Amino acid sequence: WHRYYLRHLELDLQQIDPSETIPYWDWIHDRATTAAPWTNNLMGGDGRQRDGKVTTGPFAYSTGNWPIVVKDFPRQPDFLTRRLSVPRFLPLRQEVLWILRRVRYDARPWNFGTNPRESFRAALEMGPHNMVHIWVGGNMAGAGSPNDPVFFLHHAMVDRLWAKWQKVHPADRYKPKTGALRGHNLDDPMWPWRTEQPPVTPRSVLHHHALGYRYDDERRW
């Protein structure tokens, strides 16, 4: 779902500027709270202490006119918020390597009850994916996490790791074909793109090259 979401946004951006791409935030190496992507010319910095308000960069409410419209709760502030944690709480290289060694893509019950030791999907989702959302904090820690543009850089990194895993385990396949909640099985149309033709399904997004993009370091995988 997120792979298509990212590509959909990237194609929309390219309608404005054909050279535009969504970069990934490599939080394995880019761990400082004062360097990329937290600089004034990229995502802006941390939120201020009293309320988490982001006051620097292009997405600060006062400088970039970036109002928060879709909110997690009625009294959520109109401005973007962050509460960056200490760098040692970001995912480590050793953890990512452990996850990339998971042989099975997924296992029953195909949801949050799946044992991460038995599933690449569960290990990546419940580990680094969730950790980074919590580490950024503020809007990123809730259901409205796409309000923070760093959401897309983070999910591009998650997608990159999925592409790496696919390269390392070419014989393994997406699971499940059936038996999961609607929208998660191999040939289920995915909301909100169910009416597109051909339908957008997990099967239709398994190969990122077929979607028209690749990662800058793929030759080294």
Side-chain angles (χ1 to χ4, degrees):
W1 191 93
H2 285 91
R3 175 169 280 181
Y4 188 77
Y5 184 32
L6 289 170
R7 183 56 172 153
H8 198 285
L9 173 63
E10 190 169 65
L11 291 172
D12 284 348
L13 292 172
Q14 288 171 356
Q15 293 296 312
I16 301 169
D17 181 351
S19 68
E20 196 67 52
T21 62
I22 296 177
Y24 59 87
W25 167 29
D26 185 354
W27 24 254
I28 297 174
H29 298 100
D30 299 325
R31 305 173 68 83
T33 59
T34 55
W38 310 113
T39 54
N40 287 345
N41 62 331
L42 291 175
M43 294 290 104
D46 196 5
R48 64 189 180 190
Q49 187 171 7
R50 71 173 183 268
D51 57 6
K53 183 177 183 178
V54 174
T55 60
T56 59
F59 305 106
Y61 184 78
S62 59
T63 60
N65 191 26
W66 190 257
I68 304 303
V69 177
V70 180
K71 301 183 177 183
D72 293 336
F73 49 90
R75 294 188 178 181
Q76 187 172 15
D78 294 334
F79 49 80
L80 179 64
T81 60
R82 293 183 186 133
R83 294 190 182 277
L84 304 186
S85 187
V86 294
R88 64 186 176 88
F89 291 137
L90 284 172
L92 298 172
R93 181 174 181 272
Q94 301 93 297
E95 180 182 6
V96 171
L97 290 176
W98 177 84
I99 291 170
L100 290 174
R101 288 195 290 266
R102 299 301 91 197
V103 175
R104 286 203 284 180
Y105 175 78
D106 207 354
R108 294 181 186 280
W110 322 115
N111 56 33
F112 288 107
T114 299
N115 186 341
R117 293 186 175 275
E118 299 177 355
S119 162
F120 163 77
R121 188 272 310 163
L124 183 59
E125 183 174 357
M126 298 179 198
H129 166 263
N130 288 357
M131 287 171 63
V132 173
H133 274 274
I134 295 169
W135 185 90
V136 175
N139 291 105
M140 270 283 279
S145 53
N147 280 308
D148 191 335
V150 81
F151 170 97
F152 299 97
L153 279 64
H154 169 43
H155 274 274
M157 177 63 173
V158 172
D159 183 75
R160 174 173 171 258
L161 293 178
W162 181 24
K164 278 178 175 275
W165 179 89
Q166 291 176 298
K167 177 77 171 181
V168 174
H169 304 285
D172 201 72
R173 297 290 183 267
Y174 177 92
K175 298 179 181 68
K177 289 186 177 180
T178 61
L181 293 174
R182 186 172 62 177
H184 294 265
N185 300 296
L186 183 62
D187 293 306
D188 286 354
M190 294 191 293
W191 184 90
W193 309 291
R194 293 174 185 157
T195 60
E196 292 193 14
Q197 293 298 326
V200 181
T201 65
R203 186 192 296 273
S204 71
V205 300
L206 291 181
H207 304 293
H208 66 292
H209 290 174
L211 294 177
Y213 69 95
R214 65 178 60 243
Y215 288 98
D216 60 337
D217 60 347
E218 285 191 32
R219 290 185 178 181
R220 298 198 297 271
W221 296 0

